[in-house]
Amino acid sequence: MTAAPGTLLIEAARRAGIEIPAFCYYPGLSLQAACRMCLVEIEKAPKLQTACTVPVSEGMVVRTNTPKVHDARRSMLEFLLTNHPLDCPVCDKGGECELQDMVFRYGASFSRFREEKRHTDEEKWSPVVYYDGPRCILCYRCVRVCNEGMDVSALAIVNRGGRTLIGPNAGGHLDCEQCGMCIDICPVGALTSGSYRHQARPWELHYVPTICTHCGDGCKTTLSVRNNRVLRGNNRDQSGINGEFLCIKGRYAFDFLHHPERLTQPLVRQEGKLVPATWAQALRAVAARFRQLLEQGSAFGIIGSNHAGNETAYLLQKFARAGLRTNNIDHHRTADYAALIAALARSGVRPADRLAGSRDLLTARAVLLIGNNPTEQHPLLAWNMRTNVRLNKGRLYVVNHRAIKLERQATATLRIEEGRAGALLDFLAGQTTAGQPPALQPWNEFRDRLRAESDLLVVFGDEIKGDGIARLVAFGNTLGGVTRYIALGDYNNSRGASDMGLLPGSLPGYAPVEDAVVRARFEAEWNVTLPPGPGLALDEMIAAAGDGRLGALYVVGANPLKRYNLNAGSSFLVVQDMFLTETARQADVVLPAAAVYEVNGTVTNTCGELQRIRQALGTNGPRADLEIIGLIAKETGISLGPVGSEEVFDEIRRLVNGYNVAMAGLAAGEAVPTAPADGRDASLGRPDLVHSSGDTLFTSGTLGQYSDMLEAVRRH
Amino acid sequence: MRFSAQLEARFERFLARYPQRRSALIPMLLYAQDEVGWLSPEVIAEIAGRLDLSVVEVESVISYYSMLRRRPAGKYHIQVCTNISCMLREAEPLFEHAREKLGIEPGEITEDGLFSLEEVECLGACSWAPAVQVNYDFHHEMTPEKLGALVDRLREKRP
Ligand code: SF4
Ligand code: SF4
Ligand code: SF4
Ligand code: FES
Ligand code: FES
């Protein structure tokens, strides 16, 4: 067989379908050679060799299946089991434990060890991480993934010889990012999670792969479900764009689903108070009022969600534009995707060719990160950036107004004053050169370094929006090669919400509402005349609702009244949500909505990668947003055509710029890049409304308030 | 915290010597221990900070090397080898005698702060077993009597 020079024997064998057992070897982490499970016979070598450290060489003859090798494996397992408690029947890992599997395959059924086993008690290191020392086989995977992968270094080896254990960094407990990487990478049940330990056996679970809702990166998380409860999330098969990575939120912050304050019944305001009602009553109340307002010619305002899938966003704007006859529709914008697509198109390139995917961060030769703090706000993209520096010698350049953790990986860092990003961009693009004061020296050096790069990948936060993005692209065009971009937005469907046209000035796909050609296409499709001219933006809608200029405000999966004030009772307020949020509390009708983990559909991550979400749970009371919008439309007497998620997605594929993707990959659970072909005319109103919630690893907007795990970790 | 000027200068040389900063860890720990007497939490935190390591990484290294101490020791740290060669040459009664003579258990310090006791593995002095090490000095072919005399001598040396 052949393999590239430098390939480790164990990898070459795996690729050829030959199993060499291993505990300590883990692809992408430094070599440890601690467990000796991978011993093989190499011709001409006097002793057995570790396949995890020996690279292949020309003419090498290796035997992996001889009595001698089997003997070695059996002995190593016997040795590992000397102090192992063999409590598989009550161990969380039982059924998916690598030690159990290896003993089953290669182990001996007897042990010569007659001494007493050494015991240490299980320790709780944090709400997330528990350690059971006797089960630990000292493979050091956890230590390495925390050091190398996470750059946290919260775990270390303590003591030596027979007393060696793993220890946490903060005197018996863990002060760390609580990602749970160490738990999932542990081959045995030594590290267990606060949310899953002692809950279930892996073979009685039902596994549903879907997309994490908490940030814009779009990690695949496979939810393990039993009795209609989610017990854990992980990506053990490494099938998503995130490989083995998940942060605390993708792994453990699903518990909002089961929060006791979850709304299960519609609520209707009667004599000033929200009282429970049936779905029929609530829908009738909404529809009657909507009909009345339509007849009176009153205006509506609609606010959509960053979490709900593309289908919901699309149907909501269709309902607004075709049904309620208004362009008063918006959402909390967290990145200025419209401006990026427009700036690219206007600079004469096809936006799709310049929008990078999340995995491009793993291979880019150079990455420029402006603003944001990805370690907190985009944990997967931060992981990719670190991995690229560590394994591929990628270079990372960081510009920020504050210190961020990723500077530790940076080739060069430039600290600027807050609000100076625009000036820096002009400088980088070469527009200010004359008479440079000494303070500009670092700017100069930084620019020189960037100019020496080609094929730069630029990642930027909400510090750059509107016209700033045009300046960024102008700078990108001064560099060699193909400069690509990622705009960082907050949640699982922030990008989708924007792409689907939850914007007062844009139809789906960023055509301005005035664009005659695109309008005509949608009008023919929907069989209506669309309202002319842009509608009100989010803050304008709330102001208008407050002084009675709007007949009704319809809010789907958003909590704008957390930031804006609305005079109570000034217009009819309908809210669809999972919880009685600040906004829902003021509503006239509250409709309990299903969570993203309870519906089928698609979402688009901040890099524009489209992925399927799947229903992991049934709901008892709440309904899917898509279904609720359909029901309200129907009761109101408005026909929206078929409103099933598949049918709506078909329409999206046909009509939305960039979404005509191949179905095969999507159906197979892959991330498919959307490919916006144009957008030069995109409406760019109100960039001041673009702002990130600035979530940390342990917060997630309004939703995060209902996760007990995140709450526990914040208090830890 | 600051160490003596001499030690600070030595640390500077270490830090310049190694391409990887963290390589200076063990020598720094050892010299700091010699100066401070033990590796107190303050010393550990200080050295971790200087090498850009986490405290637990430093503790990890300390816990591997038995010569790095996380407990204060006496002015004279008496290390009695009870490993195989010394054991064959009566190290065990020697060790018992040391306990009685000093009136402390291994890991403890005499009330006057002069002595501490430790049972150690092979000191590499098997040809002259049984061996005892006091701080950095070796004492060969020890007997309970010779050990007793040594302790008395050290006690009198007191200023
Ligand atoms: S949870 Fe994550 S950050 Fe914390 S110790 Fe484990 S790997 Fe390290
Ligand atoms: S806790 Fe698990 S991953 Fe860490 S060393 Fe022990 S067995 Fe390996
Ligand atoms: S990085 Fe983002 S998408 Fe991935 S698990 Fe964390 S919050 Fe979820
Ligand atoms: S896998 Fe090779 S020594 Fe552990
Ligand atoms: S056994 Fe005591 S010095 Fe070697």
Side-chain angles (χ1 to χ4, degrees), chain A residues 306-321:
Chain A
N306 275 312
H307 290 282
N310 288 318
E311 296 73 13
T312 300
Y314 181 87
L315 193 70
L316 184 63
Q317 64 81 38
K318 182 175 176 182
F319 180 45
R321 294 191 161 110

Side-chain angles (χ1 to χ4, degrees), chain A residues 22-25 33-38 50 52:
Chain A
F23 289 121
C24 68
Y25 174 72
C35 73
R36 324 307 282 181
M37 265 310 279
C38 65
T50 47
C52 70

Side-chain angles (χ1 to χ4, degrees), chain B residues 45-105:
Chain B
E46 177 64 27
I47 293 183
R50 291 191 191 193
L51 297 180
D52 195 20
L53 292 170
S54 70
V55 164
V56 70
E57 285 174 297
V58 175
E59 288 173 346
S60 162
V61 168
I62 296 172
S63 68
Y64 186 84
Y65 293 101
S66 54
M67 285 172 71
L68 297 175
R69 289 189 304 271
R70 299 198 53 194
R71 269 195 292 226
K75 181 166 178 208
Y76 302 108
H77 187 53
I78 300 192
Q79 299 147 72
V80 181
C81 172
T82 54
N83 224 178
I84 189 101
S85 310
C86 296
M87 187 190 82
L88 292 172
R89 306 251 303 161
E90 306 291 321
E92 281 176 345
L94 180 68
F95 183 61
E96 284 310 306
H97 179 75
R99 283 170 55 183
E100 272 164 36
K101 174 85 188 163
L102 297 169
I104 53 173
E105 293 300 309

Side-chain angles (χ1 to χ4, degrees), chain A residues 244-567:
Chain A
E244 69 263 71
F245 181 79
L246 281 171
C247 79
I248 176 173
K249 290 188 265 189
R251 257 185 243 280
Y252 307 113
F254 50 75
D255 52 352
F256 62 82
L257 291 168
H258 310 299
H259 195 279
E261 287 169 36
R262 186 82 198 266
L263 295 173
T264 54
Q265 267 183 301
L267 304 170
V268 177
R269 192 168 296 280
Q270 272 169 11
E271 290 156 14
K273 276 173 58 185
L274 282 171
V275 295
T278 64
W279 272 100
Q281 290 165 335
L283 289 170
R284 266 202 306 274
V286 174
R289 191 62 177 268
F290 278 13
R291 250 196 327 266
Q292 184 196 5
L293 291 168
L294 277 172
E295 278 156 19
Q296 292 168 355
S298 295
F300 287 81
I302 291 94
I303 296 173
S305 169
N306 275 312
H307 290 282
N310 288 318
E311 296 73 13
T312 300
Y314 181 87
L315 193 70
L316 184 63
Q317 64 81 38
K318 182 175 176 182
F319 180 45
R321 294 191 161 110
L324 303 175
R325 308 292 165 120
T326 182
N327 279 322
N328 296 340
I329 182 163
D330 207 341
H331 69 293
H332 169 202
R333 311 175 205 173
T334 62
D336 205 344
Y337 303 110
L340 178 58
I341 288 171
L344 289 170
R346 284 174 197 166
S347 84
V349 297
R350 204 172 146 259
D353 299 336
R354 299 303 182 104
L355 297 170
S358 55
R359 298 187 70 82
D360 292 331
L361 283 171
L362 286 169
T363 51
R365 272 180 287 171
V367 174
L368 168 63
L369 169 64
I370 311 181
N372 201 273
N373 183 0
T375 309
E376 300 278 346
Q377 296 169 267
H378 293 273
L380 169 65
L381 300 185
W383 164 273
N384 285 356
M385 287 184 236
R386 283 195 303 271
T387 306
N388 186 34
V389 170
R390 181 167 60 94
L391 297 180
N392 302 328
K393 304 218 159 35
R395 288 174 297 279
L396 176 64
Y397 299 91
V398 175
V399 178
N400 212 308
H401 63 267
R402 57 191 162 162
I404 62 169
K405 188 178 153 218
L406 274 169
E407 286 174 5
R408 291 162 59 99
Q409 276 72 37
T411 302
T413 298
L414 184 65
R415 189 69 46 79
I416 59 173
E417 283 159 47
E418 195 162 2
R420 291 268 282 160
L424 176 70
L425 290 172
D426 286 343
F427 176 81
L428 291 177
Q431 281 155 25
T432 34
T433 44
Q436 289 156 12
L440 278 183
Q441 193 52 34
W443 288 31
N444 258 322
E445 282 166 17
F446 200 78
R447 183 170 66 183
D448 288 346
R449 302 194 76 141
L450 291 177
R451 281 181 175 166
E453 297 286 356
S454 64
D455 299 326
L456 192 68
L457 202 171
V458 185
V459 183
F460 60 97
D462 69 344
E463 290 87 342
I464 300 184
K465 49 194 166 192
D467 176 49
I469 294 182
R471 288 142 99 182
L472 179 65
V473 170
F475 155 65
N477 287 340
T478 65
L479 300 175
V482 176
T483 309
R484 290 171 301 164
Y485 303 86
I486 295 176
L488 298 173
D490 283 356
Y491 299 116
N492 59 327
N493 208 36
S494 292
R495 171 71 179 269
S498 183
D499 287 357
M500 292 303 122
L502 293 186
L503 293 167
S506 296
L507 292 165
Y510 300 108
V513 290
E514 302 93 337
D515 184 313
V517 178
V518 180
R519 271 177 78 91
R521 178 140 37 92
F522 281 104
E523 287 179 336
E525 191 75 35
W526 297 343
N527 204 11
V528 291
T529 311
L530 289 175
L536 301 175
L538 192 141
D539 57 342
E540 296 161 347
M541 278 190 269
I542 289 173
D547 53 32
R549 281 178 289 138
L550 286 188
L553 189 61
Y554 177 27
V555 180
V556 176
N559 188 15
L561 301 190
K562 194 174 180 178
R563 293 201 299 127
Y564 297 100
N565 287 323
L566 176 68
N567 294 333

Side-chain angles (χ1 to χ4, degrees), chain B residues 96-134:
Chain B
E96 284 310 306
H97 179 75
R99 283 170 55 183
E100 272 164 36
K101 174 85 188 163
L102 297 169
I104 53 173
E105 293 300 309
E108 293 179 352
I109 310 176
T110 54
E111 256 169 40
D112 56 8
L114 273 186
F115 297 103
S116 50
L117 179 64
E118 192 182 351
E119 180 178 10
V120 297
E121 307 299 327
C122 181
L123 291 170
C126 312
S127 343
W128 307 281
V132 168
Q133 188 182 342
V134 180

